[in-house]
C-alpha cells in the first residue's frame, strides 16, 4: 500500500508515519528529513536548501522530486508513506508519473486536520534526540528523565531551526497557498480520506488505520 500523509506543519505527519512503519513495515519517505540530511552535506546545494528551510519557504519542486525518485527504487514490498510530499500541484503530478512508471499505485491520501492554534503549540514545544532522532514535546511527550532520551540514553536534545513563531507563520502561509489545493486535487480523484488530527496520538492513529482499513 502506498499512501500520502497530507497536513500543515505540526499536524502529526511524522508521528503517525512512524507508527505506520512500526505496525505495518512500510517505508517512510519524508522530504523534510531528506532535506535536513542534505543541508548537513556542506555542498552549495545544501547551503541553499538550509536558507530556504530556515525561512519556512518551500524548496524547489525539481530538488524534492529528484530526492523522491531516488528513494522509490528501494521498495521492500511493504509500501511507501509519503510524509511532506507532495506539497505543490507539480509535485503531485510528478508523483503520479513516477508511480505509474514503476507500476505502482497510490492507494490513499490521508488529510490530517488540525487548527492553527494547536499547530503553533505542537511546533513550538517540539524537540528531538540529536543522537537517535526520537521525538519529544514540552507538554505532550516528555522523556522519563528530563534531557535524557528514553530510547538511546543520550543527552543531546535539540530543536529545529525552523520551529520558531516567525518561520512557522511563513510555513503556514506556504501550506495554505501551495499545498492545500492538493486536498481538492485528490478529492476529485476519489483518493482522499480526512481524519481529525486533534485527538491523542493513539486516537489519531486509530482513525488513520480505520481510513486505510488496516
Ligand atoms: P517538514 O520536515 O516536512 O516539516 P512540516 O511539514 O512543517 O511538518 P513537521 O515535521 O513540522 O510536522 P509534522 O506534521 O510531521 O508533525 P510531527 O509529527 O513532528 O518540512 C520542513 C521544510 O522542508 C519545509 O518548510 C520546506 O522548506 C522543506 N520541504 C519539505 N518537504 C518539501 C517539499 N515536498 N517541497 C518543498 N519543500 C519541502 O508533530 C509535531 C509535534 O506535535 C511533535 O512534538 C509531536 O510529538 C506532537 N504531536 C503529534 N501528534 C500529536 C497529537 N495527536 N497530540 C499531541 N501532540 C502531537
Amino acid at each position: 500500500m502506498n499512501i500520502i500523509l497530507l497536513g500543515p506543519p505540526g499536524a502529526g505527519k511524522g508521528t503517525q508515519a512512524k507508527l505506520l512503519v512500526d505496525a505495518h513495515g512500510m517505508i517512510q519517505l519524508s522530504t523534510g528529513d531528506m532535506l535536513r540530511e542534505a543541508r548537513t552535506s556542506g555542498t552549495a546545494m545544501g547551503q541553499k536548501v538550509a536558507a530556504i528551510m530556515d525561512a519556512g519557504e518551500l524548496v524547489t519542486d525539481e530538488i524534492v522530486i529528484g530526492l523522491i525518485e531516488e528513494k522509490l527504487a528501494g521498495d521492500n514490498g511493504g509500501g511507501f508513506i509519503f510524509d511532506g510530499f507532495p506539497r505543490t500541484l507539480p509535485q503531485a503530478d510528478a508523483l503520479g508519473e513516477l508511480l505509474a512508471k514503476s507500476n505502482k499505485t497510490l492507494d490513499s491520501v490521508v488529510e490530517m486536520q488540525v487548527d492553527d492554534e494547536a499547530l503553533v503549540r505542537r511546533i513550538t514545544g517540539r524537540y528531538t534526540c540529536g543522537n537517535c532522532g526520537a521525538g519529544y514535546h514540552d507538554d505532550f511527550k516528555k522523556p522519563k528523565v528530563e534531557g535524557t532520551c528514553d530510547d538511546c540514553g543520550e543527552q543531546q536534545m535539540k530543536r529545529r531551526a525552523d520551529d520558531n513563531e516567525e518561520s512557522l507563520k511563513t510555513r503556514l502561509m506556504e501550506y495554505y497557498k501551495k499545498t492545500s489545493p492538493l486536498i481538492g486535487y485528490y478529492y476529485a480523484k476519489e483518493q482522499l480520506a480526512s481524519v481529525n488530527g486533534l485527538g491523542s496520538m493513539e486516537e489519531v492513529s486509530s482513525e488513520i488505520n480505520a481510513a486505510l482499513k488496516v
Side-chain angles (χ1 to χ4, degrees):
M1 182 165 53
N2 301 307
I3 65 162
I4 294 172
L5 293 182
L6 182 65
K13 304 180 292 295
T15 302
Q16 294 300 327
K18 286 189 176 61
L19 294 176
L20 286 165
V21 168
D22 291 346
H24 306 293
M26 300 168 81
I27 296 175
Q28 176 188 8
L29 294 184
S30 158
T31 40
D33 287 348
M34 293 175 209
L35 290 166
R36 276 184 284 281
E37 209 174 291
R39 61 184 286 171
T40 60
S41 65
T43 59
M45 192 271 253
Q47 283 171 8
K48 198 169 135 199
V49 161
I52 296 170
M53 291 176 83
D54 290 353
E57 290 159 12
L58 292 189
V59 173
T60 63
D61 291 336
E62 197 190 1
I63 291 178
V64 289
I65 292 166
L67 290 172
I68 286 288
E69 189 169 12
E70 273 174 36
K71 298 282 177 180
L72 277 181
D75 192 359
N76 68 354
F80 292 106
I81 305 162
F82 298 98
D83 161 11
F85 179 90
R87 256 176 157 96
T88 62
L89 290 168
Q91 289 180 25
D93 285 338
L95 177 61
E97 285 163 22
L98 288 174
L99 288 173
K101 220 162 63 180
S102 46
N103 289 322
K104 296 185 202 311
T105 49
L106 180 63
D107 298 287
S108 192
V109 178
V110 180
E111 182 215 355
M112 302 176 63
Q113 299 176 330
V114 178
D115 62 56
D116 287 1
E117 201 183 314
L119 296 174
V120 174
R121 189 159 175 222
R122 285 188 186 180
I123 291 267
T124 52
R126 169 172 64 180
Y127 57 98
T128 54
C129 170
N131 181 51
C132 73
Y136 297 97
H137 192 279
D138 290 331
D139 303 318
F140 307 125
K141 195 179 172 220
K142 295 181 187 182
K144 291 186 191 91
V145 179
E146 201 188 324
T148 304
C149 179
D150 292 345
D151 291 357
C152 72
E154 289 293 324
Q155 294 190 318
Q156 298 180 32
M157 299 301 186
K158 59 173 193 184
R159 290 180 195 259
R160 266 169 50 177
D162 59 343
D163 277 354
N164 59 74
E165 289 205 23
E166 201 46 45
S167 296
L168 183 54
K169 257 190 237 158
T170 309
R171 285 160 69 191
L172 282 171
M173 287 311 293
E174 291 281 76
Y175 176 78
Y176 291 120
K177 268 195 297 193
K178 298 176 185 166
T179 308
S180 66
L182 297 182
I183 296 168
Y185 176 95
Y186 286 116
Y187 174 78
K189 288 176 177 279
E190 299 185 353
Q191 288 173 313
L192 189 77
S194 299
V195 301
N196 177 5
L198 274 174
S200 68
M201 293 177 199
E202 294 75 20
E203 285 164 346
V204 177
S205 173
S206 300
E207 272 209 49
I208 291 176
N209 286 335
L212 298 176
K213 301 187 181 68
V214 290

